[in-house]
Amino acid sequence: MKIEIITPDSNVWSGEIRSVTVPGRKGSFQVLKDHAPIISTLDAGTVTVADEQGSVQHFEITGGLIEVKRNRIILLADGVRQS
Amino acid sequence: MANLKAIRVRLSSVKSTRQITSAMKMVAAAKLRKSQDAIVQLRPFAAKLDEILTGLNSALRDAETENIYAARKQTSGKVLIVVVTSNKGLCGAFNANVVREARRLMAEKYPEQVRRGDLSFITVGKKGNDLLKRMKCNILEEHSELWSALTFEKSALLADRLIGLYLSKEYDTVEIVYNQFKNAAVQRLTTEQYLPVTVAEEGTVDAVVTDYIYEPDQVSIVGELIPKSLRIQLYKALLDSFAAEHGARMTAMHQATDNATELIRELTLQYNKARQASITNQLLEVVSGAEALNG
């Protein structure tokens, strides 16, 4: 499963991952392999990415949008602070 | 015969001018590359946002939804023009072109509003601000500080301000005049209607429509995405203008350097001729002096 985290200023992060947890508008949710296609707006909060080795990374976003489609995730963040 | 010393002084002054213009050219080229990168960075984001928005729009086409950003019945009839220029000069006709276009809009598209005093400007860039001020135009705000370090967050603030002015019905139309970046040598002067949002009549809806889950729901996603795409649109215009400015400056400085080189060549020729002439003169004097003594 591939993810791209993009802001208007830069490509923040991209790579193969096992799971990602995002702060959705209707509550935080996690995306795993073969998730159904979804488009959701995101609130300000923490995006947690777990890569295939299981190591975890956190990104603070100020809001955004996520699209999941056929194991391709695109996360359009308004602004990102890596923490 | 031109004075030897005068030519020498002029030559050295032209040489130092050439040094400055060629240095400015290099700096502009380096900055151009950086600002071009920023445009390239923005592209995937803007493209994806557009794609999602068009997908949603076509899904929502049947459902009658209120779009507060779309055209509405005129309330105040007031027009706001955002004029994007640079803070620094020495970039050819870059700034003058934008201001001329703004004047043209005033004279041709909005003469009514001008007469009623219903046309205002928001300027980004000192040069345009100065020029418009001199013409006694009505300037609402100046945002030249954006150029000191252009980021999306800062441009988003301006975009939100524009959206606010539109939604509060203070202004009915917002237009942006800026230089679009084509390539290093070519800038295209562009006037874009920013608000109300013009909904593109998409002819061909892409065949593959994925069955998405929408969270929270389609209408509120669209409602949230439109201001987002407006922010992107403004940011893109600013980035374009920024890159175009450096392109224009690079071209202008390249030309100035060439002109200086040509001038130096001519002056050197003149200098050598004058030097030769004075040597010949001195020789003649010596020879004729010796002749006279031999008498």
Side-chain angles (χ1 to χ4, degrees), chain A residues 6-11 24-27 29 35-42 63-65 67-70 74 76-80, chain B residues 38 41-42 44-45 48-49 51-52 56 150-153 208 210-217 220-221 224-225 228 231-232 235 239:
Chain A
I6 323 175
T7 66
D9 286 323
S10 62
N11 280 334
R25 178 56 39 85
K26 282 187 3 190
F29 63 92
H35 193 286
I38 182 170
I39 291 178
S40 172
T41 50
L42 304 177
L65 181 77
E67 183 200 41
V68 181
K69 186 173 158 185
R70 282 183 241 112
I74 291 167
L76 303 177
D78 297 340
V80 166
Chain B
Q41 284 294 348
L42 179 64
F45 190 98
K48 196 71 212 169
L49 196 63
E51 187 192 315
I52 294 174
L56 276 167
L150 183 62
T151 60
F152 177 65
E153 279 84 5
V208 198
T210 318
D211 198 11
Y212 285 110
I213 305 167
Y214 292 99
E215 241 174 70
D217 58 90
S220 40
I221 293 181
E224 206 171 311
L225 286 195
K228 216 168 261 185
R231 277 181 217 132
I232 294 286
Y235 187 50
L239 281 181

Short mmCIF file of all heavy atoms in Angstrom, two decimals, chain A residues 6-11 24-27 29 35-42 63-65 67-70 74 76-80, chain B residues 38 41-42 44-45 48-49 51-52 56 150-153 208 210-217 220-221 224-225 228 231-232 235 239:
data_model
loop_
_atom_site.label_atom_id
_atom_site.label_comp_id
_atom_site.label_asym_id
_atom_site.label_seq_id
_atom_site.Cartn_x
_atom_site.Cartn_y
_atom_site.Cartn_z
N ILE A 6 1.17 15.19 0.57
CA ILE A 6 1.55 16.37 -0.20
C ILE A 6 0.98 17.63 0.46
O ILE A 6 -0.16 17.63 0.92
CB ILE A 6 1.00 16.32 -1.64
CG1 ILE A 6 1.04 14.89 -2.20
CG2 ILE A 6 1.79 17.22 -2.55
CD1 ILE A 6 0.40 14.79 -3.57
N THR A 7 1.78 18.69 0.49
CA THR A 7 1.25 20.01 0.83
C THR A 7 1.48 20.89 -0.39
O THR A 7 2.21 20.51 -1.31
CB THR A 7 1.97 20.63 2.03
OG1 THR A 7 3.32 20.89 1.65
CG2 THR A 7 1.94 19.75 3.25
N PRO A 8 0.86 22.08 -0.42
CA PRO A 8 1.10 22.96 -1.56
C PRO A 8 2.58 23.33 -1.70
O PRO A 8 3.04 23.64 -2.78
CB PRO A 8 0.26 24.19 -1.25
CG PRO A 8 -0.80 23.70 -0.34
CD PRO A 8 -0.18 22.61 0.46
N ASP A 9 3.32 23.32 -0.60
CA ASP A 9 4.71 23.75 -0.66
C ASP A 9 5.69 22.62 -0.99
O ASP A 9 6.75 22.88 -1.52
CB ASP A 9 5.15 24.36 0.68
CG ASP A 9 4.56 25.75 0.87
OD1 ASP A 9 4.47 26.46 -0.14
OD2 ASP A 9 4.19 26.08 2.00
N SER A 10 5.31 21.37 -0.65
CA SER A 10 6.30 20.32 -0.85
C SER A 10 5.66 18.94 -0.81
O SER A 10 4.53 18.76 -0.37
CB SER A 10 7.38 20.39 0.23
OG SER A 10 6.77 20.18 1.49
N ASN A 11 6.43 17.95 -1.29
CA ASN A 11 6.07 16.56 -1.08
C ASN A 11 6.65 16.17 0.27
O ASN A 11 7.86 16.06 0.42
CB ASN A 11 6.68 15.68 -2.16
CG ASN A 11 5.88 15.73 -3.43
OD1 ASN A 11 4.68 16.00 -3.39
ND2 ASN A 11 6.52 15.48 -4.54
N GLY A 24 -10.07 12.10 10.72
CA GLY A 24 -11.19 12.38 9.83
C GLY A 24 -12.18 13.35 10.48
O GLY A 24 -12.19 13.51 11.69
N ARG A 25 -12.99 13.97 9.62
CA ARG A 25 -13.97 14.93 10.13
C ARG A 25 -14.95 14.27 11.10
O ARG A 25 -15.31 14.82 12.12
CB ARG A 25 -14.70 15.55 8.93
CG ARG A 25 -15.79 16.54 9.22
CD ARG A 25 -15.38 17.74 10.06
NE ARG A 25 -14.06 18.28 9.78
CZ ARG A 25 -13.79 19.17 8.82
NH1 ARG A 25 -14.76 19.62 8.06
NH2 ARG A 25 -12.59 19.61 8.64
N LYS A 26 -15.32 13.02 10.77
CA LYS A 26 -16.28 12.33 11.65
C LYS A 26 -15.58 11.42 12.64
O LYS A 26 -16.12 10.43 13.10
CB LYS A 26 -17.27 11.53 10.81
CG LYS A 26 -18.32 12.41 10.22
CD LYS A 26 -19.47 11.76 9.49
CE LYS A 26 -19.59 10.28 9.43
NZ LYS A 26 -20.64 9.85 8.48
N GLY A 27 -14.34 11.74 12.94
CA GLY A 27 -13.60 10.93 13.88
C GLY A 27 -12.39 10.30 13.24
O GLY A 27 -12.36 10.07 12.03
N PHE A 29 -9.80 7.69 11.91
CA PHE A 29 -9.95 6.32 11.42
C PHE A 29 -8.62 5.82 10.85
O PHE A 29 -7.73 6.60 10.54
CB PHE A 29 -11.07 6.20 10.39
CG PHE A 29 -10.86 6.98 9.12
CD1 PHE A 29 -10.26 6.38 8.02
CD2 PHE A 29 -11.29 8.29 9.01
CE1 PHE A 29 -10.08 7.08 6.85
CE2 PHE A 29 -11.12 9.00 7.83
CZ PHE A 29 -10.51 8.39 6.75
N HIS A 35 -8.56 -1.25 1.82
CA HIS A 35 -9.64 -0.42 2.35
C HIS A 35 -10.54 -0.01 1.18
O HIS A 35 -10.09 0.15 0.06
CB HIS A 35 -9.03 0.82 3.01
CG HIS A 35 -9.99 1.59 3.86
ND1 HIS A 35 -10.98 2.36 3.33
CD2 HIS A 35 -10.10 1.71 5.20
CE1 HIS A 35 -11.67 2.92 4.31
NE2 HIS A 35 -11.15 2.54 5.47
N ALA A 36 -11.82 0.14 1.45
CA ALA A 36 -12.75 0.59 0.41
C ALA A 36 -12.39 2.01 0.00
O ALA A 36 -11.85 2.77 0.80
CB ALA A 36 -14.18 0.55 0.95
N PRO A 37 -12.67 2.37 -1.27
CA PRO A 37 -12.37 3.74 -1.71
C PRO A 37 -13.09 4.77 -0.84
O PRO A 37 -14.28 4.61 -0.57
CB PRO A 37 -12.89 3.80 -3.14
CG PRO A 37 -13.23 2.43 -3.53
CD PRO A 37 -13.21 1.54 -2.34
N ILE A 38 -12.37 5.78 -0.42
CA ILE A 38 -12.99 6.78 0.44
C ILE A 38 -12.38 8.15 0.17
O ILE A 38 -11.20 8.25 -0.18
CB ILE A 38 -12.82 6.40 1.94
CG1 ILE A 38 -13.52 7.41 2.84
CG2 ILE A 38 -11.36 6.29 2.31
CD1 ILE A 38 -13.61 6.99 4.29
N ILE A 39 -13.22 9.16 0.26
CA ILE A 39 -12.72 10.54 0.25
C ILE A 39 -13.21 11.17 1.54
O ILE A 39 -14.41 11.13 1.84
CB ILE A 39 -13.24 11.34 -0.95
CG1 ILE A 39 -12.63 10.82 -2.24
CG2 ILE A 39 -12.92 12.82 -0.79
CD1 ILE A 39 -13.13 11.52 -3.48
N SER A 40 -12.30 11.73 2.31
CA SER A 40 -12.72 12.34 3.55
C SER A 40 -11.92 13.60 3.81
O SER A 40 -10.75 13.69 3.47
CB SER A 40 -12.51 11.36 4.72
OG SER A 40 -12.74 12.02 5.94
N THR A 41 -12.61 14.58 4.37
CA THR A 41 -11.87 15.77 4.80
C THR A 41 -11.29 15.48 6.18
O THR A 41 -11.81 14.67 6.94
CB THR A 41 -12.80 16.99 4.88
OG1 THR A 41 -13.95 16.63 5.63
CG2 THR A 41 -13.22 17.43 3.51
N LEU A 42 -10.19 16.16 6.47
CA LEU A 42 -9.48 15.89 7.72
C LEU A 42 -9.45 17.14 8.59
O LEU A 42 -9.36 18.26 8.08
CB LEU A 42 -8.04 15.45 7.43
CG LEU A 42 -7.87 14.23 6.51
CD1 LEU A 42 -6.40 13.96 6.28
CD2 LEU A 42 -8.56 13.01 7.09
N GLY A 63 -5.07 20.27 8.77
CA GLY A 63 -6.32 20.03 8.06
C GLY A 63 -5.97 19.50 6.70
O GLY A 63 -4.82 19.58 6.27
N GLY A 64 -6.95 18.93 6.02
CA GLY A 64 -6.63 18.41 4.69
C GLY A 64 -7.70 17.50 4.15
O GLY A 64 -8.88 17.61 4.51
N LEU A 65 -7.24 16.59 3.31
CA LEU A 65 -8.16 15.75 2.55
C LEU A 65 -7.43 14.44 2.26
O LEU A 65 -6.23 14.44 1.99
CB LEU A 65 -8.48 16.47 1.24
CG LEU A 65 -9.45 15.79 0.29
CD1 LEU A 65 -10.87 15.97 0.81
CD2 LEU A 65 -9.34 16.42 -1.09
N GLU A 67 -7.66 10.73 0.03
CA GLU A 67 -8.33 9.89 -0.95
C GLU A 67 -7.67 8.52 -0.91
O GLU A 67 -6.44 8.41 -1.01
CB GLU A 67 -8.20 10.47 -2.36
CG GLU A 67 -8.97 9.65 -3.38
CD GLU A 67 -8.49 9.88 -4.82
OE1 GLU A 67 -7.27 9.98 -5.04
OE2 GLU A 67 -9.35 9.95 -5.71
N VAL A 68 -8.48 7.48 -0.74
CA VAL A 68 -7.97 6.11 -0.77
C VAL A 68 -8.62 5.40 -1.93
O VAL A 68 -9.83 5.46 -2.10
CB VAL A 68 -8.31 5.35 0.53
CG1 VAL A 68 -7.73 3.95 0.49
CG2 VAL A 68 -7.80 6.10 1.74
N LYS A 69 -7.80 4.80 -2.77
CA LYS A 69 -8.35 4.14 -3.94
C LYS A 69 -7.38 3.05 -4.36
O LYS A 69 -6.20 3.31 -4.61
CB LYS A 69 -8.47 5.19 -5.05
CG LYS A 69 -9.14 4.74 -6.32
CD LYS A 69 -9.29 5.99 -7.18
CE LYS A 69 -9.46 5.71 -8.64
NZ LYS A 69 -9.47 6.96 -9.40
N ARG A 70 -7.81 1.84 -4.41
CA ARG A 70 -7.02 0.68 -4.82
C ARG A 70 -5.61 0.69 -4.19
O ARG A 70 -4.61 0.69 -4.88
CB ARG A 70 -6.90 0.64 -6.34
CG ARG A 70 -8.18 0.10 -6.98
CD ARG A 70 -8.03 0.00 -8.48
NE ARG A 70 -8.99 0.84 -9.16
CZ ARG A 70 -8.69 1.93 -9.86
NH1 ARG A 70 -7.43 2.31 -9.97
NH2 ARG A 70 -9.62 2.62 -10.44
N ILE A 74 -3.67 9.16 -1.16
CA ILE A 74 -3.12 10.50 -1.36
C ILE A 74 -3.67 11.38 -0.27
O ILE A 74 -4.89 11.48 -0.07
CB ILE A 74 -3.47 11.04 -2.75
CG1 ILE A 74 -2.69 10.23 -3.80
CG2 ILE A 74 -3.09 12.50 -2.86
CD1 ILE A 74 -3.16 10.44 -5.19
N LEU A 76 -3.76 15.09 1.00
CA LEU A 76 -3.48 16.50 0.71
C LEU A 76 -3.59 17.26 2.02
O LEU A 76 -4.69 17.46 2.53
CB LEU A 76 -4.48 17.06 -0.31
CG LEU A 76 -4.58 16.34 -1.65
CD1 LEU A 76 -5.67 16.97 -2.51
CD2 LEU A 76 -3.26 16.38 -2.39
N ALA A 77 -2.46 17.66 2.56
CA ALA A 77 -2.48 18.38 3.83
C ALA A 77 -2.31 19.86 3.57
O ALA A 77 -1.58 20.25 2.65
CB ALA A 77 -1.36 17.88 4.74
N ASP A 78 -3.01 20.69 4.36
CA ASP A 78 -2.85 22.14 4.18
C ASP A 78 -1.48 22.59 4.68
O ASP A 78 -0.84 23.45 4.10
CB ASP A 78 -3.95 22.89 4.95
CG ASP A 78 -5.31 22.56 4.40
OD1 ASP A 78 -5.37 22.09 3.24
OD2 ASP A 78 -6.31 22.75 5.09
N GLY A 79 -1.06 22.00 5.78
CA GLY A 79 0.26 22.33 6.31
C GLY A 79 0.70 21.17 7.20
O GLY A 79 -0.14 20.47 7.78
N VAL A 80 2.00 20.93 7.24
CA VAL A 80 2.51 19.78 8.01
C VAL A 80 3.67 20.19 8.89
O VAL A 80 4.54 20.96 8.50
CB VAL A 80 2.98 18.66 7.05
CG1 VAL A 80 3.81 17.63 7.80
CG2 VAL A 80 1.80 17.99 6.40
N ALA B 38 9.10 25.61 -7.04
CA ALA B 38 7.90 25.77 -6.21
C ALA B 38 6.64 25.52 -7.02
O ALA B 38 5.69 24.89 -6.55
CB ALA B 38 7.87 27.17 -5.60
N GLN B 41 6.27 21.89 -7.53
CA GLN B 41 5.80 21.26 -6.30
C GLN B 41 4.30 21.37 -6.14
O GLN B 41 3.64 20.46 -5.65
CB GLN B 41 6.45 21.92 -5.08
CG GLN B 41 7.89 21.54 -4.85
CD GLN B 41 8.04 20.08 -4.48
OE1 GLN B 41 7.06 19.41 -4.18
NE2 GLN B 41 9.25 19.59 -4.53
N LEU B 42 3.79 22.52 -6.52
CA LEU B 42 2.36 22.77 -6.31
C LEU B 42 1.49 21.94 -7.25
O LEU B 42 0.38 21.59 -6.91
CB LEU B 42 2.07 24.27 -6.52
CG LEU B 42 0.63 24.71 -6.37
CD1 LEU B 42 0.18 24.50 -4.94
CD2 LEU B 42 0.47 26.17 -6.75
N PRO B 44 1.20 18.76 -8.44
CA PRO B 44 0.47 17.53 -8.09
C PRO B 44 -0.68 17.80 -7.12
O PRO B 44 -1.76 17.22 -7.25
CB PRO B 44 1.53 16.63 -7.46
CG PRO B 44 2.71 17.47 -7.21
CD PRO B 44 2.62 18.63 -8.14
N PHE B 45 -0.44 18.69 -6.18
CA PHE B 45 -1.48 19.03 -5.20
C PHE B 45 -2.69 19.63 -5.90
O PHE B 45 -3.82 19.19 -5.71
CB PHE B 45 -0.90 20.03 -4.19
CG PHE B 45 -1.77 20.27 -3.00
CD1 PHE B 45 -1.54 19.61 -1.81
CD2 PHE B 45 -2.82 21.18 -3.06
CE1 PHE B 45 -2.33 19.83 -0.70
CE2 PHE B 45 -3.62 21.40 -1.96
CZ PHE B 45 -3.38 20.73 -0.78
N LYS B 48 -4.57 17.07 -8.11
CA LYS B 48 -5.37 16.11 -7.37
C LYS B 48 -6.64 16.76 -6.83
O LYS B 48 -7.73 16.20 -6.92
CB LYS B 48 -4.54 15.56 -6.20
CG LYS B 48 -5.09 14.31 -5.58
CD LYS B 48 -4.94 13.14 -6.52
CE LYS B 48 -6.09 12.16 -6.32
NZ LYS B 48 -6.14 11.15 -7.39
N LEU B 49 -6.47 17.97 -6.29
CA LEU B 49 -7.62 18.69 -5.73
C LEU B 49 -8.66 18.93 -6.81
O LEU B 49 -9.86 18.74 -6.59
CB LEU B 49 -7.13 20.01 -5.13
CG LEU B 49 -8.08 20.72 -4.18
CD1 LEU B 49 -8.31 19.87 -2.95
CD2 LEU B 49 -7.51 22.07 -3.79
N GLU B 51 -9.07 17.24 -9.53
CA GLU B 51 -9.66 15.98 -9.95
C GLU B 51 -10.79 15.58 -9.01
O GLU B 51 -11.89 15.23 -9.45
CB GLU B 51 -8.56 14.92 -9.96
CG GLU B 51 -8.98 13.58 -10.53
CD GLU B 51 -7.94 12.52 -10.23
OE1 GLU B 51 -6.74 12.81 -10.41
OE2 GLU B 51 -8.33 11.42 -9.80
N ILE B 52 -10.52 15.67 -7.72
CA ILE B 52 -11.54 15.30 -6.73
C ILE B 52 -12.75 16.22 -6.84
O ILE B 52 -13.90 15.79 -6.80
CB ILE B 52 -10.95 15.32 -5.32
CG1 ILE B 52 -9.89 14.22 -5.19
CG2 ILE B 52 -12.03 15.12 -4.27
CD1 ILE B 52 -9.15 14.24 -3.88
N LEU B 56 -16.53 15.26 -7.80
CA LEU B 56 -17.64 15.54 -6.90
C LEU B 56 -18.70 16.40 -7.57
O LEU B 56 -19.90 16.17 -7.42
CB LEU B 56 -17.12 16.28 -5.66
CG LEU B 56 -16.56 15.40 -4.56
CD1 LEU B 56 -15.81 16.25 -3.57
CD2 LEU B 56 -17.69 14.66 -3.87
N LEU B 150 7.48 33.91 0.49
CA LEU B 150 6.18 33.47 0.03
C LEU B 150 5.91 32.04 0.49
O LEU B 150 6.64 31.13 0.14
CB LEU B 150 6.11 33.55 -1.49
CG LEU B 150 4.78 33.19 -2.13
CD1 LEU B 150 3.69 34.13 -1.66
CD2 LEU B 150 4.88 33.21 -3.64
N THR B 151 4.89 31.87 1.33
CA THR B 151 4.49 30.52 1.71
C THR B 151 3.00 30.38 1.47
O THR B 151 2.29 31.36 1.31
CB THR B 151 4.74 30.25 3.21
OG1 THR B 151 3.98 31.20 3.95
CG2 THR B 151 6.20 30.36 3.56
N PHE B 152 2.57 29.13 1.46
CA PHE B 152 1.16 28.89 1.22
C PHE B 152 0.32 29.47 2.34
O PHE B 152 -0.73 30.06 2.09
CB PHE B 152 0.91 27.39 1.09
CG PHE B 152 -0.54 27.06 0.91
CD1 PHE B 152 -1.21 27.47 -0.22
CD2 PHE B 152 -1.24 26.36 1.89
CE1 PHE B 152 -2.55 27.19 -0.39
CE2 PHE B 152 -2.57 26.09 1.73
CZ PHE B 152 -3.23 26.49 0.59
N GLU B 153 0.79 29.33 3.58
CA GLU B 153 0.01 29.84 4.72
C GLU B 153 -0.27 31.32 4.56
O GLU B 153 -1.38 31.79 4.79
CB GLU B 153 0.74 29.59 6.04
CG GLU B 153 0.59 28.18 6.59
CD GLU B 153 1.59 27.22 5.98
OE1 GLU B 153 2.46 27.68 5.20
OE2 GLU B 153 1.50 26.01 6.26
N VAL B 208 -14.17 6.23 -15.75
CA VAL B 208 -14.11 5.43 -14.53
C VAL B 208 -14.57 6.29 -13.35
O VAL B 208 -13.85 7.18 -12.92
CB VAL B 208 -12.68 4.92 -14.27
CG1 VAL B 208 -12.72 3.76 -13.29
CG2 VAL B 208 -12.01 4.53 -15.57
N THR B 210 -15.23 5.97 -9.62
CA THR B 210 -15.10 5.05 -8.50
C THR B 210 -16.22 5.32 -7.50
O THR B 210 -16.62 6.46 -7.31
CB THR B 210 -13.74 5.23 -7.81
OG1 THR B 210 -12.76 5.38 -8.82
CG2 THR B 210 -13.42 4.05 -6.94
N ASP B 211 -16.67 4.27 -6.89
CA ASP B 211 -17.75 4.40 -5.92
C ASP B 211 -17.14 4.69 -4.54
O ASP B 211 -16.80 3.79 -3.80
CB ASP B 211 -18.56 3.10 -5.90
CG ASP B 211 -19.92 3.32 -5.26
OD1 ASP B 211 -20.27 4.50 -5.05
OD2 ASP B 211 -20.60 2.32 -4.98
N TYR B 212 -17.01 5.97 -4.26
CA TYR B 212 -16.34 6.35 -3.02
C TYR B 212 -17.29 6.36 -1.83
O TYR B 212 -18.49 6.56 -1.99
CB TYR B 212 -15.77 7.77 -3.14
CG TYR B 212 -14.53 7.87 -3.99
CD1 TYR B 212 -14.58 8.49 -5.23
CD2 TYR B 212 -13.32 7.39 -3.52
CE1 TYR B 212 -13.44 8.61 -6.00
CE2 TYR B 212 -12.18 7.50 -4.30
CZ TYR B 212 -12.25 8.12 -5.53
OH TYR B 212 -11.12 8.24 -6.28
N ILE B 213 -16.70 6.17 -0.66
CA ILE B 213 -17.39 6.53 0.57
C ILE B 213 -17.03 7.98 0.82
O ILE B 213 -15.85 8.34 0.72
CB ILE B 213 -16.90 5.68 1.77
CG1 ILE B 213 -17.02 4.21 1.47
CG2 ILE B 213 -17.61 6.07 3.04
CD1 ILE B 213 -16.28 3.34 2.47
N TYR B 214 -18.01 8.81 1.10
CA TYR B 214 -17.69 10.21 1.37
C TYR B 214 -17.88 10.51 2.84
O TYR B 214 -18.90 10.16 3.42
CB TYR B 214 -18.56 11.14 0.53
CG TYR B 214 -18.27 11.06 -0.93
CD1 TYR B 214 -19.07 10.29 -1.77
CD2 TYR B 214 -17.19 11.73 -1.47
CE1 TYR B 214 -18.79 10.19 -3.13
CE2 TYR B 214 -16.91 11.65 -2.83
CZ TYR B 214 -17.71 10.88 -3.65
OH TYR B 214 -17.43 10.79 -4.99
N GLU B 215 -16.90 11.15 3.41
CA GLU B 215 -17.02 11.51 4.81
C GLU B 215 -16.67 12.98 4.99
O GLU B 215 -15.60 13.39 4.56
CB GLU B 215 -16.07 10.64 5.66
CG GLU B 215 -16.82 9.80 6.67
CD GLU B 215 -15.90 8.85 7.40
OE1 GLU B 215 -15.10 9.35 8.19
OE2 GLU B 215 -15.99 7.63 7.15
N PRO B 216 -17.46 13.84 5.55
CA PRO B 216 -18.77 13.53 6.11
C PRO B 216 -19.83 13.28 5.03
O PRO B 216 -20.51 12.28 5.07
CB PRO B 216 -19.12 14.78 6.91
CG PRO B 216 -18.12 15.83 6.55
CD PRO B 216 -17.02 15.19 5.80
N ASP B 217 -19.98 14.14 4.02
CA ASP B 217 -20.86 13.85 2.90
C ASP B 217 -20.46 14.75 1.74
O ASP B 217 -19.71 15.70 1.91
CB ASP B 217 -22.33 14.07 3.26
CG ASP B 217 -22.57 15.50 3.72
OD1 ASP B 217 -22.86 16.34 2.87
OD2 ASP B 217 -22.43 15.75 4.94
N SER B 220 -20.87 18.76 1.95
CA SER B 220 -19.96 19.51 2.83
C SER B 220 -18.51 19.38 2.37
O SER B 220 -17.71 20.27 2.61
CB SER B 220 -20.13 19.09 4.28
OG SER B 220 -20.30 17.72 4.40
N ILE B 221 -18.18 18.27 1.71
CA ILE B 221 -16.82 18.18 1.17
C ILE B 221 -16.62 19.25 0.10
O ILE B 221 -15.64 19.98 0.10
CB ILE B 221 -16.52 16.78 0.60
CG1 ILE B 221 -16.49 15.74 1.73
CG2 ILE B 221 -15.18 16.77 -0.11
CD1 ILE B 221 -16.19 14.34 1.28
N GLU B 224 -16.17 22.56 1.46
CA GLU B 224 -14.87 22.78 2.07
C GLU B 224 -13.77 22.88 1.01
O GLU B 224 -12.77 23.58 1.21
CB GLU B 224 -14.55 21.62 3.02
CG GLU B 224 -13.62 22.00 4.13
CD GLU B 224 -13.53 20.88 5.14
OE1 GLU B 224 -14.59 20.37 5.57
OE2 GLU B 224 -12.41 20.49 5.46
N LEU B 225 -14.00 22.18 -0.10
CA LEU B 225 -12.94 22.14 -1.12
C LEU B 225 -12.87 23.41 -1.95
O LEU B 225 -11.80 23.79 -2.40
CB LEU B 225 -13.14 20.94 -2.05
CG LEU B 225 -12.81 19.59 -1.46
CD1 LEU B 225 -12.69 18.56 -2.56
CD2 LEU B 225 -11.51 19.65 -0.68
N LYS B 228 -10.67 25.91 -0.49
CA LYS B 228 -9.32 25.35 -0.57
C LYS B 228 -8.75 25.56 -1.97
O LYS B 228 -7.59 25.97 -2.13
CB LYS B 228 -9.39 23.86 -0.25
CG LYS B 228 -8.20 23.37 0.53
CD LYS B 228 -8.44 21.99 1.08
CE LYS B 228 -8.86 22.05 2.53
NZ LYS B 228 -9.00 20.74 3.15
N ARG B 231 -7.79 29.09 -2.49
CA ARG B 231 -6.50 29.42 -1.89
C ARG B 231 -5.36 28.96 -2.81
O ARG B 231 -4.39 29.68 -3.00
CB ARG B 231 -6.36 28.73 -0.54
CG ARG B 231 -7.03 29.50 0.56
CD ARG B 231 -6.86 28.80 1.89
NE ARG B 231 -8.08 28.96 2.65
CZ ARG B 231 -8.71 27.99 3.27
NH1 ARG B 231 -8.23 26.76 3.23
NH2 ARG B 231 -9.82 28.23 3.92
N ILE B 232 -5.54 27.76 -3.36
CA ILE B 232 -4.52 27.24 -4.27
C ILE B 232 -4.40 28.13 -5.50
O ILE B 232 -3.31 28.43 -5.97
CB ILE B 232 -4.88 25.80 -4.70
CG1 ILE B 232 -4.82 24.87 -3.50
CG2 ILE B 232 -3.97 25.32 -5.81
CD1 ILE B 232 -3.45 24.54 -3.03
N TYR B 235 -2.46 31.19 -4.66
CA TYR B 235 -1.06 30.83 -4.43
C TYR B 235 -0.35 30.58 -5.76
O TYR B 235 0.78 31.00 -5.97
CB TYR B 235 -1.00 29.59 -3.55
CG TYR B 235 0.38 29.20 -3.09
CD1 TYR B 235 1.22 30.14 -2.51
CD2 TYR B 235 0.84 27.90 -3.23
CE1 TYR B 235 2.48 29.78 -2.08
CE2 TYR B 235 2.10 27.53 -2.80
CZ TYR B 235 2.92 28.48 -2.22
OH TYR B 235 4.17 28.13 -1.80
N LEU B 239 2.84 32.48 -7.20
CA LEU B 239 4.06 31.76 -7.59
C LEU B 239 4.42 32.04 -9.04
O LEU B 239 5.58 32.26 -9.39
CB LEU B 239 3.87 30.26 -7.40
CG LEU B 239 4.00 29.70 -6.00
CD1 LEU B 239 3.79 28.20 -6.03
CD2 LEU B 239 5.34 30.02 -5.39
#
